[in-house]
Amino acid sequence: MRVDLHNHTILCNHATGSVDEYIQKAIELGIDQYGFSDHAPMNYDPKYRMDISQKQVYENWILEAKEKYKNKIKILLAYEVDYLDGYLLDEILNAKVDYLIGSVHFLKNKSDMWGFDNPEFIGIYQSKDIDTIWIEYFDAIKSMAKTGFFDIVGHLDLIKVFKFLPKKDVRLIAKDALLEIKKSNMILEINPAGLRKPINETYPSKLLLEQAYELGINITFGSDAHSVEQVGFKYEEAVSLAKEIGYKKCVTFESRDKVFVSF
């Protein structure tokens, strides 16, 4: 079964294409279960997400598509939620969805936040110790997992996006976060979007995915499409990586319940 659970819509303000176009492309690629998980509203960084006033519009779009295409493909409704303490919205955490992706896109910098995957803030990498940045990032992932709010960890090692890599062994830096992910029974997505970025590597790296496998952490797949052309991006590569490490099944969802399927 082909599963792709991390995809966006124009409501996030940095994607193109209609819901129908994304679904038609997914059908063409033989995807069996396709999830929309657009950037959830929150009272921060409004430029890159839908407004809370658009929540019902978004959910209606996906629920209508779910019904419209039910005989061709299974459509899932979800959100990608930025884990930012103090900014999470109950309306999203309690929404009637199939799953929630928890992601970290922001870290504290002095008295402010910086979007470490945004080219606008790339200079901060040169102003701080790189190992410190990586440790802060995985501390945030650990805190996110500990909340129990989310089902999937989005792009586990997104911090590598611009290829500013740690001097310390990444497995040591990520160890406590992965242990918390396991404890929280969260799923790790294999996300090939990193192959479109300077790092030119899938999220997570093979090293971290091997570590996750050893801990018994389950996986799913998500192309992180922000355009129709990115639907199913490098899917076969993601599957090959998973199989090479030893995974035989992935997880999909229905109303927050996990469903294991072979891939």
Side-chain angles (χ1 to χ4, degrees):
M1 180 174 284
R2 295 169 70 93
V3 173
D4 187 350
L5 299 188
H6 187 159
N7 300 284
H8 297 274
T9 77
I10 57 170
L11 292 177
C12 72
N13 303 315
H14 59 284
T16 58
S18 69
V19 167
D20 282 298
E21 287 173 318
Y22 280 73
I23 295 172
Q24 286 159 14
K25 181 67 173 179
I27 293 169
E28 180 187 318
L29 293 173
I31 292 169
D32 300 288
Q33 297 202 16
Y34 188 81
F36 286 95
S37 50
D38 212 353
H39 292 282
M42 70 176 181
N43 299 321
Y44 192 80
D45 193 46
K47 185 178 174 183
Y48 294 103
R49 66 192 64 254
M50 73 181 80
D51 186 78
I52 190 64
S53 66
Q54 296 173 302
K55 174 179 179 288
Q56 199 58 57
V57 172
Y58 168 67
E59 292 183 6
N60 286 347
W61 280 3
I62 310 310
L63 292 173
E64 286 166 8
K66 185 181 282 213
E67 179 63 23
K68 178 178 178 181
Y69 291 98
K70 66 183 180 182
N71 295 324
K72 294 183 178 179
I73 189 171
K74 185 169 184 177
I75 301 299
L76 305 177
L77 168 64
Y79 286 99
E80 180 184 7
V81 183
D82 272 299
Y83 176 69
L84 200 51
D85 194 29
Y87 291 92
L88 300 176
L89 300 180
D90 288 342
E91 299 99 309
I92 299 301
L93 297 179
N94 299 322
K96 290 184 178 179
V97 293
D98 290 303
Y99 55 93
L100 291 176
I101 298 175
S103 298
V104 174
H105 292 93
F106 300 93
L107 294 174
K108 289 180 182 175
N109 184 47
K110 298 176 183 175
S111 60
D112 202 2
M113 298 281 185
W114 66 295
F116 58 81
D117 64 330
N118 187 331
E120 293 173 30
F121 298 99
I122 203 166
I124 295 178
Y125 282 100
Q126 277 114 7
S127 68
K128 294 180 71 172
D129 175 70
I130 190 62
D131 282 355
T132 299
I133 292 173
W134 276 70
I135 289 165
E136 288 174 352
Y137 173 78
F138 276 101
D139 281 348
I141 293 285
K142 179 182 174 182
S143 296
M144 179 191 73
K146 196 174 280 190
T147 65
F149 292 152
F150 311 107
D151 305 293
I152 299 171
V153 181
H155 33 59
L156 174 69
D157 52 356
L158 180 64
I159 192 70
K160 71 185 178 186
V161 59
F162 296 121
K163 219 172 180 178
F164 294 100
L165 302 176
K167 301 178 185 74
K168 188 175 178 181
D169 188 334
V170 67
R171 291 167 294 187
L172 296 176
I173 295 173
K175 182 181 177 182
D176 287 347
L178 284 169
L179 288 170
E180 198 62 52
I181 288 165
K182 172 62 178 174
K183 187 177 175 182
S184 302
N185 200 24
M186 290 182 74
I187 305 303
L188 212 59
E189 69 170 8
I190 299 182
N191 180 331
L195 294 167
R196 307 193 290 262
K197 305 294 182 178
I199 187 62
N200 192 30
E201 184 180 80
T202 296
Y203 308 119
S205 66
K206 186 179 178 184
L207 271 181
L208 290 183
L209 199 56
E210 286 172 340
Q211 193 175 5
Y213 181 75
E214 288 167 8
L215 289 170
I217 296 171
N218 294 301
I219 58 160
T220 191
F221 298 97
S223 55
D224 209 345
H226 286 74
S227 70
V228 175
E229 294 73 28
Q230 292 171 357
V231 172
F233 177 75
K234 300 289 185 181
Y235 186 85
E236 297 302 338
E237 206 161 311
V239 166
S240 293
L241 175 61
K243 286 180 176 177
E244 182 184 345
I245 286 167
Y247 286 103
K248 294 180 174 63
K249 292 193 173 184
C250 71
V251 176
T252 183
F253 291 86
E254 185 156 352
S255 301
R256 307 296 296 272
D257 289 333
K258 296 178 181 68
V259 180
F260 288 82
V261 296
S262 299
F263 58 86

